[in-house]
Short mmCIF file of all heavy atoms in Angstrom, two decimals:
data_model
loop_
_atom_site.label_atom_id
_atom_site.label_comp_id
_atom_site.label_asym_id
_atom_site.label_seq_id
_atom_site.Cartn_x
_atom_site.Cartn_y
_atom_site.Cartn_z
N MET A 26 104.69 193.93 56.44
CA MET A 26 103.68 194.57 57.27
C MET A 26 102.30 194.13 56.83
O MET A 26 102.04 193.98 55.63
CB MET A 26 103.82 196.09 57.15
CG MET A 26 103.36 196.84 58.38
SD MET A 26 103.72 198.59 58.19
CE MET A 26 102.10 199.20 57.82
N ALA A 27 101.42 193.93 57.79
CA ALA A 27 100.06 193.50 57.47
C ALA A 27 99.27 194.61 56.79
O ALA A 27 99.43 195.78 57.11
CB ALA A 27 99.35 193.08 58.75
N VAL A 28 98.46 194.21 55.84
CA VAL A 28 97.61 195.16 55.12
C VAL A 28 96.16 194.87 55.48
O VAL A 28 95.76 193.71 55.50
CB VAL A 28 97.82 195.02 53.59
CG1 VAL A 28 96.89 195.94 52.83
CG2 VAL A 28 99.26 195.28 53.24
N PRO A 29 95.38 195.88 55.81
CA PRO A 29 93.97 195.64 56.17
C PRO A 29 93.23 194.96 55.02
O PRO A 29 93.38 195.34 53.86
CB PRO A 29 93.41 197.04 56.43
CG PRO A 29 94.58 197.90 56.68
CD PRO A 29 95.73 197.30 55.93
N TYR A 30 92.43 193.93 55.35
CA TYR A 30 91.71 193.16 54.34
C TYR A 30 90.69 194.05 53.63
O TYR A 30 90.54 193.99 52.43
CB TYR A 30 91.03 191.98 55.00
CG TYR A 30 90.13 191.20 54.07
CD1 TYR A 30 90.67 190.44 53.04
CD2 TYR A 30 88.75 191.24 54.22
CE1 TYR A 30 89.87 189.73 52.18
CE2 TYR A 30 87.94 190.53 53.36
CZ TYR A 30 88.50 189.78 52.34
OH TYR A 30 87.69 189.07 51.49
N GLY A 31 89.99 194.86 54.40
CA GLY A 31 88.99 195.74 53.78
C GLY A 31 88.81 196.97 54.62
O GLY A 31 89.21 197.01 55.78
N ARG A 32 88.22 197.98 54.02
CA ARG A 32 87.99 199.21 54.77
C ARG A 32 86.93 198.96 55.85
O ARG A 32 85.91 198.33 55.60
CB ARG A 32 87.49 200.28 53.80
CG ARG A 32 87.24 201.60 54.50
CD ARG A 32 86.74 202.64 53.52
NE ARG A 32 86.03 203.68 54.24
CZ ARG A 32 85.58 204.79 53.67
NH1 ARG A 32 85.75 204.98 52.38
NH2 ARG A 32 84.96 205.68 54.38
N LYS A 33 87.21 199.47 57.04
CA LYS A 33 86.26 199.33 58.14
C LYS A 33 85.11 200.30 57.90
O LYS A 33 85.34 201.46 57.50
CB LYS A 33 86.97 199.68 59.45
CG LYS A 33 86.31 199.06 60.68
CD LYS A 33 86.99 199.53 61.93
CE LYS A 33 87.81 198.42 62.55
NZ LYS A 33 88.34 198.81 63.86
N SER A 34 83.90 199.83 58.14
CA SER A 34 82.72 200.66 57.87
C SER A 34 82.65 201.84 58.84
O SER A 34 83.29 201.83 59.91
CB SER A 34 81.45 199.83 58.00
OG SER A 34 81.19 199.54 59.36
N ARG A 35 81.89 202.84 58.47
CA ARG A 35 81.72 204.03 59.31
C ARG A 35 81.16 203.64 60.67
O ARG A 35 81.57 204.16 61.70
CB ARG A 35 80.75 204.98 58.59
CG ARG A 35 80.79 206.40 59.10
CD ARG A 35 79.76 207.23 58.37
NE ARG A 35 79.98 207.24 56.92
CZ ARG A 35 79.12 207.72 56.03
NH1 ARG A 35 77.97 208.22 56.45
NH2 ARG A 35 79.37 207.70 54.75
N THR A 36 80.21 202.70 60.66
CA THR A 36 79.61 202.25 61.92
C THR A 36 80.64 201.60 62.83
O THR A 36 80.70 201.88 64.02
CB THR A 36 78.47 201.26 61.62
OG1 THR A 36 77.53 201.88 60.76
CG2 THR A 36 77.78 200.82 62.89
N LYS A 37 81.46 200.72 62.26
CA LYS A 37 82.44 200.00 63.06
C LYS A 37 83.48 200.96 63.64
O LYS A 37 83.90 200.81 64.79
CB LYS A 37 83.13 198.92 62.21
CG LYS A 37 82.24 197.75 61.89
CD LYS A 37 81.93 196.94 63.15
CE LYS A 37 80.92 195.84 62.84
NZ LYS A 37 80.48 195.17 64.07
N SER A 38 83.90 201.95 62.85
CA SER A 38 84.86 202.92 63.34
C SER A 38 84.28 203.71 64.50
O SER A 38 84.94 203.96 65.51
CB SER A 38 85.25 203.89 62.23
OG SER A 38 85.76 203.20 61.13
N ARG A 39 83.02 204.11 64.34
CA ARG A 39 82.37 204.92 65.37
C ARG A 39 82.08 204.11 66.62
O ARG A 39 82.14 204.63 67.74
CB ARG A 39 81.07 205.53 64.81
CG ARG A 39 81.37 206.65 63.83
CD ARG A 39 80.13 207.18 63.18
NE ARG A 39 80.48 208.25 62.26
CZ ARG A 39 79.61 208.90 61.49
NH1 ARG A 39 78.33 208.57 61.53
NH2 ARG A 39 80.00 209.86 60.70
N MET A 40 81.77 202.82 66.46
CA MET A 40 81.54 201.96 67.62
C MET A 40 82.81 201.84 68.44
O MET A 40 82.78 201.88 69.67
CB MET A 40 81.07 200.57 67.16
CG MET A 40 79.60 200.51 66.79
SD MET A 40 79.17 199.01 65.89
CE MET A 40 79.22 197.81 67.18
N GLN A 41 83.95 201.67 67.76
CA GLN A 41 85.22 201.55 68.45
C GLN A 41 85.55 202.86 69.18
O GLN A 41 86.00 202.85 70.33
CB GLN A 41 86.33 201.22 67.45
CG GLN A 41 87.69 201.00 68.10
CD GLN A 41 87.67 199.85 69.08
OE1 GLN A 41 87.21 198.75 68.77
NE2 GLN A 41 88.16 200.08 70.28
N ARG A 42 85.32 204.00 68.51
CA ARG A 42 85.60 205.29 69.11
C ARG A 42 84.73 205.51 70.35
O ARG A 42 85.18 206.01 71.37
CB ARG A 42 85.36 206.39 68.07
CG ARG A 42 85.93 207.73 68.45
CD ARG A 42 85.80 208.71 67.28
NE ARG A 42 86.49 208.22 66.09
CZ ARG A 42 86.10 208.47 64.83
NH1 ARG A 42 85.02 209.20 64.60
NH2 ARG A 42 86.77 208.01 63.82
N ALA A 43 83.45 205.14 70.25
CA ALA A 43 82.52 205.33 71.36
C ALA A 43 82.93 204.47 72.56
O ALA A 43 82.81 204.90 73.70
CB ALA A 43 81.11 204.99 70.92
N ALA A 44 83.43 203.25 72.29
CA ALA A 44 83.84 202.37 73.38
C ALA A 44 85.02 202.97 74.13
O ALA A 44 85.12 202.85 75.35
CB ALA A 44 84.22 201.01 72.82
N ASN A 45 85.91 203.66 73.43
CA ASN A 45 87.06 204.28 74.08
C ASN A 45 86.67 205.54 74.83
O ASN A 45 87.31 205.89 75.82
CB ASN A 45 88.15 204.62 73.04
CG ASN A 45 88.76 203.37 72.45
OD1 ASN A 45 88.82 202.33 73.09
ND2 ASN A 45 89.21 203.47 71.22
N MET A 46 85.63 206.22 74.37
CA MET A 46 85.22 207.46 75.01
C MET A 46 84.57 207.21 76.36
O MET A 46 84.55 208.08 77.22
CB MET A 46 84.24 208.23 74.11
CG MET A 46 84.92 208.97 73.00
SD MET A 46 83.78 209.54 71.76
CE MET A 46 83.08 210.94 72.62
N LYS A 47 84.02 206.01 76.55
CA LYS A 47 83.34 205.69 77.81
C LYS A 47 84.27 205.88 79.00
O LYS A 47 83.86 206.39 80.02
CB LYS A 47 82.88 204.23 77.80
CG LYS A 47 81.57 204.02 77.10
CD LYS A 47 81.18 202.55 77.18
CE LYS A 47 80.04 202.27 76.22
NZ LYS A 47 79.85 200.81 76.07
N TYR A 48 85.52 205.48 78.86
CA TYR A 48 86.44 205.50 79.99
C TYR A 48 86.84 206.91 80.39
O TYR A 48 87.02 207.21 81.54
CB TYR A 48 87.69 204.66 79.66
CG TYR A 48 87.34 203.23 79.47
CD1 TYR A 48 87.17 202.70 78.20
CD2 TYR A 48 87.12 202.40 80.57
CE1 TYR A 48 86.80 201.38 78.03
CE2 TYR A 48 86.76 201.08 80.41
CZ TYR A 48 86.61 200.56 79.13
OH TYR A 48 86.24 199.27 78.96
N SER A 49 86.94 207.82 79.42
CA SER A 49 87.34 209.18 79.73
C SER A 49 86.21 209.97 80.39
O SER A 49 86.45 211.00 80.99
CB SER A 49 87.83 209.90 78.48
OG SER A 49 86.78 209.96 77.56
N ALA A 50 84.97 209.48 80.27
CA ALA A 50 83.84 210.24 80.79
C ALA A 50 83.47 209.84 82.21
O ALA A 50 82.51 210.32 82.76
CB ALA A 50 82.64 210.05 79.88
N LYS A 51 84.25 208.94 82.81
CA LYS A 51 83.85 208.41 84.11
C LYS A 51 83.88 209.48 85.19
O LYS A 51 82.92 209.65 85.90
CB LYS A 51 84.74 207.23 84.49
CG LYS A 51 84.12 205.92 84.08
CD LYS A 51 84.91 204.75 84.57
CE LYS A 51 84.19 203.47 84.14
NZ LYS A 51 84.99 202.28 84.39
N VAL A 52 84.98 210.20 85.31
CA VAL A 52 85.04 211.29 86.28
C VAL A 52 85.03 212.58 85.48
O VAL A 52 86.08 213.10 85.11
CB VAL A 52 86.29 211.18 87.18
CG1 VAL A 52 86.35 212.36 88.13
CG2 VAL A 52 86.25 209.88 87.96
N ALA A 53 83.83 213.05 85.17
CA ALA A 53 83.69 214.24 84.33
C ALA A 53 83.54 215.49 85.19
O ALA A 53 83.83 216.58 84.73
CB ALA A 53 82.48 214.10 83.41
N ALA A 54 83.08 215.35 86.42
CA ALA A 54 82.85 216.52 87.25
C ALA A 54 83.10 216.16 88.71
O ALA A 54 83.05 214.99 89.09
CB ALA A 54 81.42 217.02 87.07
N ARG A 55 83.38 217.19 89.49
CA ARG A 55 83.55 216.98 90.93
C ARG A 55 82.60 217.89 91.67
O ARG A 55 82.29 218.98 91.21
CB ARG A 55 85.01 217.26 91.35
CG ARG A 55 85.96 216.17 90.87
CD ARG A 55 87.33 216.28 91.53
NE ARG A 55 88.16 215.17 91.13
CZ ARG A 55 88.14 213.98 91.75
NH1 ARG A 55 87.38 213.77 92.79
NH2 ARG A 55 88.91 213.01 91.32
N CYS A 56 82.16 217.45 92.83
CA CYS A 56 81.24 218.23 93.65
C CYS A 56 81.95 219.50 94.13
O CYS A 56 83.08 219.44 94.59
CB CYS A 56 80.77 217.39 94.82
SG CYS A 56 79.69 218.28 95.95
N THR A 57 81.25 220.63 94.03
CA THR A 57 81.84 221.89 94.49
C THR A 57 81.80 221.99 96.02
O THR A 57 82.50 222.80 96.61
CB THR A 57 81.10 223.08 93.89
OG1 THR A 57 79.70 222.92 94.12
CG2 THR A 57 81.36 223.18 92.40
N ASN A 58 80.96 221.15 96.65
CA ASN A 58 80.80 221.19 98.10
C ASN A 58 81.81 220.29 98.80
O ASN A 58 82.48 220.71 99.73
CB ASN A 58 79.37 220.79 98.46
CG ASN A 58 79.04 221.05 99.90
OD1 ASN A 58 79.39 222.10 100.44
ND2 ASN A 58 78.36 220.12 100.53
N CYS A 59 81.93 219.03 98.34
CA CYS A 59 82.80 218.07 99.02
C CYS A 59 83.87 217.50 98.08
O CYS A 59 84.64 216.65 98.50
CB CYS A 59 81.97 216.94 99.62
SG CYS A 59 81.20 215.86 98.40
N SER A 60 83.89 217.94 96.82
CA SER A 60 84.88 217.55 95.80
C SER A 60 84.91 216.04 95.54
O SER A 60 85.91 215.51 95.10
CB SER A 60 86.27 218.08 96.13
OG SER A 60 86.83 217.39 97.22
N ALA A 61 83.81 215.35 95.80
CA ALA A 61 83.70 213.94 95.44
C ALA A 61 83.37 213.84 93.95
O ALA A 61 82.69 214.72 93.41
CB ALA A 61 82.61 213.27 96.26
N PRO A 62 83.84 212.80 93.24
CA PRO A 62 83.48 212.67 91.82
C PRO A 62 81.98 212.46 91.65
O PRO A 62 81.38 211.70 92.40
CB PRO A 62 84.27 211.43 91.37
CG PRO A 62 84.66 210.72 92.60
CD PRO A 62 84.72 211.73 93.70
N LYS A 63 81.40 213.14 90.67
CA LYS A 63 79.96 213.00 90.44
C LYS A 63 79.66 213.18 88.97
O LYS A 63 80.50 213.64 88.21
CB LYS A 63 79.18 214.02 91.29
CG LYS A 63 79.30 215.46 90.78
CD LYS A 63 78.35 216.35 91.55
CE LYS A 63 78.19 217.71 90.90
NZ LYS A 63 77.42 217.64 89.63
N MET A 64 78.45 212.80 88.57
CA MET A 64 78.01 212.96 87.20
C MET A 64 77.64 214.42 86.96
O MET A 64 77.04 215.06 87.83
CB MET A 64 76.77 212.09 86.93
CG MET A 64 77.05 210.60 87.00
SD MET A 64 77.84 209.98 85.54
CE MET A 64 76.45 209.91 84.43
N PRO A 65 78.00 214.98 85.78
CA PRO A 65 77.60 216.35 85.51
C PRO A 65 76.08 216.50 85.44
O PRO A 65 75.41 215.60 84.93
CB PRO A 65 78.24 216.66 84.15
CG PRO A 65 78.80 215.40 83.64
CD PRO A 65 78.78 214.38 84.71
N HIS A 66 75.57 217.58 85.96
CA HIS A 66 74.14 217.90 85.98
C HIS A 66 73.35 216.96 86.87
O HIS A 66 72.14 216.82 86.73
CB HIS A 66 73.53 217.92 84.57
CG HIS A 66 74.27 218.82 83.62
ND1 HIS A 66 74.14 220.18 83.65
CD2 HIS A 66 75.17 218.55 82.67
CE1 HIS A 66 74.93 220.70 82.73
NE2 HIS A 66 75.57 219.73 82.12
N TYR A 67 74.05 216.31 87.82
CA TYR A 67 73.38 215.45 88.79
C TYR A 67 73.75 215.95 90.18
O TYR A 67 74.83 216.51 90.38
CB TYR A 67 73.86 214.00 88.65
CG TYR A 67 73.15 213.21 87.58
CD1 TYR A 67 73.40 213.45 86.24
CD2 TYR A 67 72.22 212.22 87.92
CE1 TYR A 67 72.76 212.73 85.25
CE2 TYR A 67 71.58 211.50 86.95
CZ TYR A 67 71.84 211.75 85.62
OH TYR A 67 71.21 211.03 84.65
N ALA A 68 72.85 215.71 91.15
CA ALA A 68 73.17 216.04 92.53
C ALA A 68 74.29 215.11 93.02
O ALA A 68 74.39 213.97 92.56
CB ALA A 68 71.94 215.88 93.40
N CYS A 69 75.10 215.61 93.93
CA CYS A 69 76.23 214.83 94.44
C CYS A 69 75.70 213.60 95.19
O CYS A 69 74.76 213.70 95.97
CB CYS A 69 77.06 215.70 95.37
SG CYS A 69 78.43 214.82 96.15
N GLY A 70 76.32 212.44 94.95
CA GLY A 70 75.90 211.23 95.62
C GLY A 70 76.35 211.16 97.07
O GLY A 70 75.76 210.46 97.88
N ALA A 71 77.39 211.93 97.40
CA ALA A 71 77.94 211.87 98.75
C ALA A 71 77.25 212.84 99.70
O ALA A 71 76.93 212.50 100.82
CB ALA A 71 79.44 212.14 98.71
N CYS A 72 77.04 214.09 99.24
CA CYS A 72 76.48 215.10 100.13
C CYS A 72 75.15 215.65 99.63
O CYS A 72 74.48 216.38 100.36
CB CYS A 72 77.48 216.24 100.32
SG CYS A 72 77.72 217.28 98.88
N GLY A 73 74.71 215.31 98.44
CA GLY A 73 73.40 215.73 97.95
C GLY A 73 73.31 217.16 97.49
O GLY A 73 72.21 217.65 97.25
N ALA A 74 74.44 217.85 97.35
CA ALA A 74 74.41 219.25 96.95
C ALA A 74 74.32 219.37 95.44
O ALA A 74 74.87 218.55 94.70
CB ALA A 74 75.67 219.94 97.45
N TYR A 75 73.58 220.40 95.00
CA TYR A 75 73.54 220.70 93.56
C TYR A 75 73.33 222.20 93.39
O TYR A 75 72.39 222.76 93.97
CB TYR A 75 72.42 219.93 92.86
CG TYR A 75 72.42 220.18 91.37
CD1 TYR A 75 73.40 219.61 90.57
CD2 TYR A 75 71.47 221.01 90.79
CE1 TYR A 75 73.43 219.86 89.22
CE2 TYR A 75 71.49 221.25 89.44
CZ TYR A 75 72.47 220.67 88.65
OH TYR A 75 72.52 220.91 87.30
N ALA A 76 74.20 222.84 92.62
CA ALA A 76 74.12 224.27 92.32
C ALA A 76 74.05 225.10 93.59
O ALA A 76 73.26 226.03 93.72
CB ALA A 76 72.93 224.56 91.41
N GLY A 77 74.88 224.74 94.59
CA GLY A 77 75.00 225.54 95.79
C GLY A 77 73.87 225.39 96.79
O GLY A 77 73.75 226.18 97.71
N ARG A 78 73.02 224.38 96.61
CA ARG A 78 71.94 224.16 97.57
C ARG A 78 71.82 222.67 97.85
O ARG A 78 72.38 221.85 97.13
CB ARG A 78 70.62 224.73 97.05
CG ARG A 78 70.17 224.04 95.78
CD ARG A 78 68.92 224.69 95.19
NE ARG A 78 68.68 224.21 93.85
CZ ARG A 78 68.10 223.04 93.56
NH1 ARG A 78 67.68 222.25 94.53
NH2 ARG A 78 67.91 222.67 92.32
N GLN A 79 71.04 222.33 98.90
CA GLN A 79 70.82 220.93 99.25
C GLN A 79 69.68 220.40 98.39
O GLN A 79 68.52 220.73 98.61
CB GLN A 79 70.50 220.82 100.75
CG GLN A 79 70.68 219.42 101.30
CD GLN A 79 72.14 218.98 101.34
OE1 GLN A 79 73.03 219.81 101.36
NE2 GLN A 79 72.38 217.68 101.31
N ALA A 80 70.01 219.59 97.36
CA ALA A 80 69.00 219.14 96.42
C ALA A 80 68.27 217.89 96.89
O ALA A 80 67.14 217.64 96.49
CB ALA A 80 69.64 218.88 95.06
N ARG A 81 68.93 217.10 97.73
CA ARG A 81 68.29 215.88 98.22
C ARG A 81 68.92 215.51 99.55
O ARG A 81 70.02 215.96 99.87
CB ARG A 81 68.44 214.75 97.21
CG ARG A 81 69.86 214.24 97.04
CD ARG A 81 69.90 213.03 96.16
NE ARG A 81 71.15 212.28 96.42
CZ ARG A 81 71.57 211.29 95.65
NH1 ARG A 81 70.90 210.96 94.60
NH2 ARG A 81 72.68 210.66 95.95
N PRO A 82 68.23 214.69 100.37
CA PRO A 82 68.77 214.36 101.69
C PRO A 82 70.11 213.64 101.60
O PRO A 82 70.38 212.93 100.62
CB PRO A 82 67.69 213.45 102.30
CG PRO A 82 66.61 213.34 101.33
CD PRO A 82 66.93 214.10 100.11
N VAL A 83 70.92 213.82 102.62
CA VAL A 83 72.25 213.21 102.64
C VAL A 83 72.12 211.70 102.76
O VAL A 83 71.26 211.20 103.50
CB VAL A 83 73.07 213.78 103.83
CG1 VAL A 83 74.45 213.15 103.89
CG2 VAL A 83 73.18 215.28 103.72
N ALA A 84 72.93 210.98 102.00
CA ALA A 84 72.91 209.52 102.02
C ALA A 84 73.30 209.01 103.41
O ALA A 84 73.95 209.72 104.18
CB ALA A 84 73.87 208.96 100.97
N ALA A 85 72.91 207.78 103.72
CA ALA A 85 73.18 207.18 105.03
C ALA A 85 74.66 207.21 105.35
O ALA A 85 75.49 206.89 104.49
CB ALA A 85 72.65 205.75 105.06
N GLU A 86 75.00 207.58 106.58
CA GLU A 86 76.40 207.73 106.96
C GLU A 86 76.93 206.51 107.69
O GLU A 86 76.17 205.75 108.25
CB GLU A 86 76.55 208.97 107.85
CG GLU A 86 76.36 210.24 107.02
CD GLU A 86 76.16 211.47 107.93
OE1 GLU A 86 76.54 211.43 109.09
OE2 GLU A 86 75.62 212.46 107.40
ZN1 LIG B 27 79.25 216.56 97.44
#
């Protein structure tokens, strides 16, 4: 069995962990109005709703 040549630094371990975390954060929230995937704490890109109100005009249809 292969043996690691040297201990991986704290930075390198954390860089690898952060790269893997990116993929799980892609669909973190869904719009409560139209259930489209959206970024948390952002207005919905599809319908413009945020916190139960119209935060910005609806995107071109
Ligand atoms: Zn929406």
Side-chain angles (χ1 to χ4, degrees):
M26 208 174 104
V28 177
Y30 174 70
R32 180 180 158 174
K33 203 185 252 187
S34 73
R35 197 182 302 169
T36 304
K37 288 292 175 188
S38 303
R39 287 175 179 178
M40 280 166 74
Q41 183 60 50
R42 194 173 301 148
N45 293 331
M46 282 167 77
K47 277 181 193 168
Y48 296 99
S49 62
K51 266 186 178 171
V52 177
R55 288 192 175 274
C56 177
T57 51
N58 191 42
C59 68
S60 72
K63 73 172 193 71
M64 294 282 283
H66 306 283
Y67 277 72
C69 177
C72 71
Y75 183 73
R78 63 185 167 80
Q79 198 68 23
R81 68 173 201 191
V83 179
E86 288 166 21

